[in-house]
Amino acid sequence: MADLITEEPKQQASGGGETRKASRFQEESEALEENGHDAKRFKVDHEEQNKKHPKRKVVLLMAYSGKGYHGMQRNVGSSQYKTIEDELVQALVLSGCIPENHAEDMKKMSFQRCARTDKGVSAAGQVVSLKVWLIDNILEKINSNLPSNIRIIGLKRVTGRFNSKNSCDARTYSYTLPTFAFAHKDHNLQEESFRLSQETLDKVNELLALFKGTHNFHNFTSQKGPRDPSAKRYIMEMCCEPPFLQGGLELAVIKVKGQSFMMHQIRKMIGLVIAVVKGYAPPSIMQRSWGEEKVDIPKAPGLGLVLETVHFEKYNKRFGNDGLHESLDWAEEVEQIEAFKKAHIYPTIIQTEIEEKSMASWLATLSIHDYDATSQEHNVVNHKVEGTAQSDDGGDSD
């Protein structure tokens, strides 16, 4: 830098020769940049950014409406199906939280999601962990580059080795559905006019309570055989709350808390209970579904499924009160979460159900399932799958 400064008066004093030399130097510099040799300049920019805003490990609390997205998890290099993470990563780059090369290789920012929500599934309390530059007004800047149906509601510093998936003790989901889903198949009332009786609600909750504990859920997902250890999952709570009216439609919310869930597991758990309550399948199918034989289980629509909360009890107990880190309980963000759900998640569920009748259309398919299917052929197929099954490494996929 000193050489360039002392060269300047010489150029003025010596005239054309030095001027041509300086011009040639500038042209060569521009040519180098055009040929992609500007990495050093970018490196300097990044070093200055690191000095000003050091990279730190954080968690982001996310809320989003999943309609129109092909799930949470990003498929780098594939633009055919847009995901929630596509939007998030783009916003992180545009807001100056991460460099562009981290968007291309998410491992560089130690990115990890707590749950891989499926196509169309929403979230009110998704948590991702990653390393970012802690720029000023970081939440405001990220959200300004996100669509209104995706919000970052909170940010907290965490330990350097924190992993949002591995550090998660449990996940709570909700499933909002019109109560006519529980009407007996011989019921003659119109869908919108159906009202859930206390007797039917009690029956629903008796069936849902059977899921509590550890069971073999190989029949509630795909690509897992009956002897795959990862098919065993622990359910802590599952119940259906009292119904309520919204937009002329009676709705109910099923809550389920478990350590982790496999792809489609929750939707199949709910689908099976609906099939029993409506009279298509006998109650005995519940116990049979956890055995080794293949059982045909219907999968409820994804529209009403919402990731409500992810739990970090062990982490909070160890680090939440150490004076350096915050507890990951998000109590202060509850109002924002509820406001987002009322503005973006519930209206989407209700409006889509009214317009597209996804639940009504799915209910019409329940009669074609073979709830007594226990043929040897099914079991042979299932054991073949077992040999090729891949573990979802304990993560939540629904």
Side-chain angles (χ1 to χ4, degrees), residues 24-276:
R24 188 165 64 251
F25 176 78
Q26 183 178 358
E27 290 173 0
E28 288 173 355
S29 297
E30 290 173 353
L32 284 173
E33 290 191 25
E34 288 175 0
N35 289 327
H37 296 283
D38 53 354
K40 184 179 286 187
R41 176 167 59 82
F42 287 147
K43 186 177 181 181
V44 171
D45 290 345
H46 288 167
E47 286 175 353
E48 289 183 3
Q49 175 78 312
N50 274 317
K51 288 178 183 177
K52 189 176 180 181
H53 302 288
K55 271 190 183 173
R56 294 290 183 262
K57 191 69 167 285
V58 303
V59 293
L60 301 177
L61 176 66
M62 296 183 67
Y64 52 83
S65 173
K67 185 181 180 183
Y69 290 98
H70 205 76
M72 172 70 181
Q73 189 168 358
R74 188 175 184 225
N75 299 310
V76 179
S78 173
S79 58
Q80 186 177 3
Y81 301 109
K82 182 161 258 190
T83 68
I84 300 296
E85 285 178 16
D86 286 327
E87 301 277 23
L88 173 62
V89 171
Q90 182 181 13
L92 291 172
V93 172
L94 292 174
S95 60
C97 295
I98 61 170
E100 284 191 38
N101 65 335
H102 283 31
E104 297 163 6
D105 185 359
M106 295 171 70
K107 290 181 181 178
K108 290 183 177 179
M109 57 175 162
S110 302
F111 186 92
Q112 185 58 260
R113 72 210 54 85
C114 191
R116 294 173 293 189
T117 52
D118 201 5
K119 177 182 177 183
V121 176
S122 299
Q126 171 74 283
V127 169
V128 300
S129 55
L130 69 161
K131 290 180 179 178
V132 297
W133 286 314
L134 290 175
I135 60 175
D136 297 332
N137 302 317
I138 184 169
L139 293 187
E140 181 182 339
K141 289 178 180 176
I142 296 173
N143 283 324
S144 69
N145 289 293
L146 284 170
S148 60
N149 61 338
I150 303 176
R151 292 289 92 177
I152 305 300
I153 294 177
L155 178 151
K156 292 185 179 183
R157 287 278 305 277
V158 287
T159 58
R161 294 186 178 181
F162 182 89
N163 179 302
S164 60
K165 185 178 75 171
N166 297 339
S167 300
C168 182
D169 304 304
R171 299 154 175 88
T172 295
Y173 279 84
S174 69
Y175 190 85
T176 302
L177 73 169
T179 57
F180 63 70
F182 297 123
H184 193 275
K185 59 185 176 69
D186 299 328
H187 205 287
N188 58 5
L189 284 179
Q190 294 295 314
E191 295 165 359
E192 289 77 7
S193 59
F194 178 82
R195 295 294 179 263
L196 186 66
S197 67
Q198 186 62 46
E199 182 183 0
T200 302
L201 178 60
D202 291 342
K203 183 178 180 180
V204 169
N205 278 320
E206 285 175 12
L207 293 169
L208 293 175
L210 295 175
F211 284 120
K212 292 168 68 173
T214 301
H215 300 288
N216 187 337
F217 286 100
H218 72 94
N219 275 313
F220 294 78
T221 189
S222 59
Q223 301 299 309
K224 287 194 186 293
R227 295 174 188 173
D228 188 332
S230 68
K232 288 188 177 180
R233 301 293 165 119
Y234 175 54
I235 306 301
M236 303 167 184
E237 301 170 12
M238 193 165 188
C239 68
C240 182
E241 298 176 346
F244 60 95
L245 284 172
Q246 185 80 38
L249 196 62
E250 188 180 67
L251 302 167
V253 177
I254 294 174
K255 292 278 185 72
V256 54
K257 180 180 180 181
Q259 281 185 337
S260 62
F261 299 94
M262 297 176 290
M263 184 175 289
H264 307 317
Q265 181 185 337
I266 296 173
R267 291 162 62 187
K268 286 204 166 195
M269 290 164 72
I270 293 170
L272 186 60
V273 168
I274 290 174
V276 172

